[in-house]
Amino acid sequence: MRKVDIQQQRTIFDEKHFKIQEATLRFEKFNGQMSEPVQRLVFERGDSAAALLFNRDTQKVILINQFRYPTYEKGPGWLTEVVAGSINENEQPEACIRREIHEEIGYQVHDLTYIATFYVSPGGSSERIILYYAEVGNADQVAAGGGAAGEHEDIEQVELSLNELWSLLEQGKINDAKTLIAVQWLQRKQ
């Protein structure tokens, strides 16, 4: 493993679930020499878990649609995406995604299939997403879903046949990275 010399590190923003850290560091270059000191910022918001759900009874994929303010200015504002949520401190990714599935769409999940762990935007953020796939049946819907009231979520459940999902993918209408990865994984699996 290459060397990294962190010369200075400090938190310059810390509010709610978001932190920005600033570091001055040197790193070992590919030629073996250490770099000059560079300054880097890291947006830290913790890791997240996400899951693509497939209902065996209806033969449909279950996604959600919700307002995402950071996408509003460049569009579309409302994104159709896989169920996801932030992993709480001392919480395992599997427990997190089971909780989020229950909160957002009202299903209980028995088996989770691991897909991948990936960085969302490694040039500026340390967040990773742990992505899963789960199959459910109609009997597994045990609550209404719709999101966590205390978090002011307003979530619409979206059910799509595989052909409808492949069509959205082909038309470039899935614009959320974790959902793109999950859908392409499912397409390859079929």
Side-chain angles (χ1 to χ4, degrees):
M1 190 156 154
R2 298 190 182 278
K3 295 182 228 168
V4 176
D5 174 26
I6 299 175
Q7 298 174 335
Q8 183 181 24
Q9 186 174 357
R10 67 187 181 111
T11 301
I12 60 174
F13 179 85
D14 186 355
E15 191 171 313
K16 298 185 182 182
H17 301 289
F18 303 113
K19 288 183 188 179
I20 298 176
Q21 296 176 336
E22 178 183 61
T24 302
L25 58 96
R26 297 173 59 208
F27 61 91
E28 185 178 355
K29 300 189 302 183
F30 291 111
N31 66 8
Q33 301 293 314
M34 293 299 285
S35 72
E36 294 296 317
V38 295
Q39 187 179 48
R40 297 290 187 256
L41 296 176
V42 175
F43 176 59
E44 173 61 54
R45 61 161 306 209
D47 291 338
S48 298
L52 177 64
L53 278 81
F54 182 75
N55 186 321
R56 291 180 304 268
D57 296 331
T58 64
Q59 293 292 294
K60 291 188 176 185
V61 169
I62 303 170
L63 300 172
I64 61 167
N65 193 336
Q66 66 180 317
F67 180 67
R68 296 293 199 177
Y69 175 67
T71 73
Y72 178 68
E73 198 165 307
K74 293 181 181 178
W78 282 262
L79 291 182
T80 299
E81 57 189 304
V82 295
V83 172
S86 298
I87 300 171
N88 294 327
E89 191 174 336
N90 299 318
E91 184 178 39
Q92 293 300 311
E94 295 88 354
C96 169
I97 196 55
R98 288 177 194 280
R99 172 179 48 78
E100 290 293 334
I101 289 167
H102 186 265
E103 287 175 3
E104 294 185 1
I105 59 173
Y107 281 83
Q108 64 182 356
V109 172
H110 304 286
D111 297 319
L112 290 167
T113 300
Y114 172 80
I115 297 175
T117 298
F118 55 91
Y119 287 94
V120 176
S121 182
S125 174
S126 63
E127 180 186 9
R128 297 176 305 165
I129 292 182
I130 298 90
L131 183 60
Y132 298 95
Y133 168 80
E135 291 189 5
V136 295
N138 291 337
D140 295 320
Q141 188 161 20
V142 296
E151 296 176 21
H152 304 287
E153 292 180 312
D154 181 39
I155 295 173
E156 174 186 47
Q157 185 173 313
V158 177
E159 295 189 23
L160 300 169
S161 70
L162 290 176
N163 285 337
E164 291 170 324
L165 186 63
W166 305 155
S167 179
L168 287 178
L169 181 63
E170 196 172 295
Q171 295 169 27
K173 292 191 176 181
I174 298 173
N175 46 19
D176 170 65
K178 66 188 176 299
T179 305
L180 272 171
I181 292 168
V183 170
Q184 289 175 336
W185 176 88
L186 182 62
Q187 188 177 47
R188 197 191 76 196
K189 184 178 177 271
Q190 295 297 306

